[in-house]
Every structure is written in structure tokens, then in C-alpha cells.
Amino acid sequence: MDVYAPFAAVYEDWSAPMTEDVPHYVALAREADGPVVELAVGTARVAIPVSEVIGRRVIGIDVSPAMLEKGRRAVGEAGADVELREGDMRDFELEEPAALIYIPYRSFLHVPTWADRRRVMERVAASLRPGGRFAWNAFVFDHHIAHRLDGTRQEEPVPHKLRYVPAENRTDITLDSGATISLWWATKNEWLGLIDVAGLEVEALYGGFDRRPFDETSTEYVWVARKPG
Ligand SMILES: C[S@@+](CC[C@H](N)C(=O)[O-])C[C@H]1O[C@@H](n2cnc3c(N)ncnc32)[C@H](O)[C@@H]1O
């Protein structure tokens, strides 16, 4: 089942507030000396400007046919060199090792268990060239915010309800139609453990897309990891 299909219908509005991530991923892609891959590429919101700036192909992988259909339309309209493939980030394979693999917009949090995330990390590590980078961003989990928002209806950017399930460290986002997607939170130590078991190294942890240092007040993890070599 394509759980993202109802979100595909409203995705332009849903993602409209998120613009500050694009220059960060574009900057990393400019430094990539080889294939560039976006996991959970969705509608190619980020992949299109990345490919336009670097003047090279970006491969985008996503599990949702509905998101990919919107992505194909956007890529065609932009005339961008983005190759969209249907697939799950837990078991993707590339023909050629990548110089940069990235996951924007907290999409890594759609993967439910630690073991699933380990599979993603291990697939990424196996798919990078030596010295290649893996970059992603995710919310810093905050019980105060989760508690305050639990059960509330938000009007922006698209009407939706939030439900916080502490026992599963999960937040559910439900549209008026009843369609729900979920985010499973991860702590800093979980991310560090995943990087470690996959044999990657932390190159940087920023507290925002302006590359400020991560500190006790940070609300976003902006990770850059590297494959040794
Ligand atoms: C918030 S959207 C992000 C889309 C795009 N990267 C962006 O930044 O606008 C999350 C995307 O993750 C995709 N997704 C969720 N689980 C996935 C998985 N296991 N493998 C690949 N894609 C997945 C969804 O289909 C959806 O397109």
C-alpha cells in the first residue's frame, strides 16, 4: 500500500515551508566527485535544484509510486537530469559507487525500527565510494513539544492532527481524510550507534542548515558522515 499517496496530493503545500535545506544539499553535491543519490526523493523537490546546480544526473529512489509520479512530472517540466527509481531505502542497490548519498526533510524518520535504520546505513555504506559522504537531517526529539502538540489540530501547512505515542517513540500525522504517516524519533546516541555499526565516520554534526555547531539548544540534527578511505 502506498501510504504516502494522500500526502502526494498535497505535497507542494505540505513542503512549502521547507526551503532552507536545499542550499545545504546543493553545497554537498557540488563537492561530490562522482554519482549523487537522494533516498526518499519524493517529488524531487531537492533533487531538481541539486542536478541543475551541479550540471549532472541525480538518481532519486522512493518507495511511493504516487510521489514518484509527481516527481516525474516536475522533472519533465524543469527539464532536469534526475533519474527516478521506485525502491525502498532499506534494500536499494546502485550500479556504481556514489560520492554522495543524502536523505533530506527528515525522511529517515519514516523508517520504523533501529534494525531498519541499520539496514539503510549498511546499504549506504556499501554503496559509497571510499571517502564518499552520507548526509541527512532529522528533528531533535523534544518530549515537551511532543506532549504540547499531542491530540492537537494544526491548520498549517495543510490541516492535520498530531498524535504522540511515547511507548513507540512515534508521532502520527493524520490528514482530514484519515490518511496517516508516522515518524519514529531517534536520539543522538542512536544516530551515532548507527553510524558506528555501518563503519562510517562522523564528519560533521550541525545544529542547522546554516552549519552552526550542534549544541544543547539545537532542534535539528544535520549530519554529514563519511566512508573511510
Ligand atoms: C517528507 S517526503 C520527502 C521527499 C523529498 N526528499 C523532499 O525532501 O521533499 C518523505 C518521502 O519518504 C519516502 N519514503 C518513506 N519510507 C521510505 C522507504 N522505506 N524507502 C524509500 N522512500 C521512503 C516517502 O514515500 C516520501 O516520498
Side-chain angles (χ1 to χ4, degrees):
M1 193 182 105
D2 185 353
V3 293
Y4 238 91
F7 284 81
V10 296
Y11 195 72
E12 276 94 355
D13 292 338
W14 182 263
S15 61
M18 176 53 82
T19 53
E20 56 178 346
D21 57 349
V22 172
H24 171 71
Y25 290 107
V26 163
L28 291 169
R30 289 178 92 119
E31 292 169 0
D33 177 20
V36 173
V37 177
E38 180 173 334
L39 300 179
V41 67
T43 59
R45 177 185 68 86
V46 181
I48 290 172
V50 166
S51 74
E52 287 174 342
V53 171
I54 65 174
R56 289 192 288 121
R57 171 161 301 185
V58 173
I59 295 172
I61 298 172
D62 198 284
V63 80
S64 165
M67 290 291 277
L68 288 172
E69 191 187 318
K70 291 204 97 172
R72 289 204 175 94
R73 211 172 310 143
V75 166
E77 281 167 13
D81 190 1
V82 177
E83 181 191 331
L84 294 173
R85 302 180 181 178
E86 188 176 329
D88 192 308
M89 60 177 136
R90 289 169 288 194
D91 57 22
F92 76 97
E93 286 190 18
L94 303 176
E95 302 75 34
E96 200 188 334
L100 173 69
I101 299 176
Y102 64 97
I103 310 181
Y105 212 4
R106 305 160 185 144
S107 306
F108 213 154
L109 299 179
H110 288 314
V111 180
T113 70
W114 200 88
D116 286 320
R117 289 183 187 162
R118 175 174 53 75
R119 285 170 60 193
V120 176
M121 283 276 184
E122 288 178 347
R123 288 311 314 145
V124 166
S127 304
L128 283 174
R129 339 172 134 179
R133 283 165 151 173
F134 177 41
W136 73 100
N137 64 285
F139 288 120
V140 171
F141 177 65
D142 185 331
H143 289 280
H144 304 98
I145 296 174
H147 174 69
R148 180 160 47 78
L149 295 180
D150 181 30
T152 64
R153 179 185 166 84
Q154 309 290 315
E155 296 304 325
E156 300 293 336
V158 167
H160 64 283
K161 273 194 180 154
L162 292 168
R163 178 168 169 254
Y164 170 40
V165 188
E168 300 289 345
N169 49 282
R170 193 185 80 224
T171 291
D172 296 332
I173 303 169
T174 302
L175 299 179
D176 285 349
S177 63
T180 299
I181 53 170
S182 299
L183 297 168
W184 286 264
W185 305 98
T187 64
K188 183 178 170 189
N189 273 331
E190 285 169 316
W191 292 122
L192 288 170
L194 287 161
I195 293 165
D196 186 47
V197 295
L200 299 175
E201 296 170 346
V202 178
E203 180 183 314
L205 171 58
Y206 303 111
F209 293 111
D210 57 4
R211 302 196 172 184
R212 74 189 78 164
F214 187 90
D215 65 22
E216 290 183 357
T217 66
S218 296
T219 58
E220 189 84 15
Y221 302 109
V222 181
W223 291 99
V224 182
R226 184 186 284 275
K227 180 167 174 165

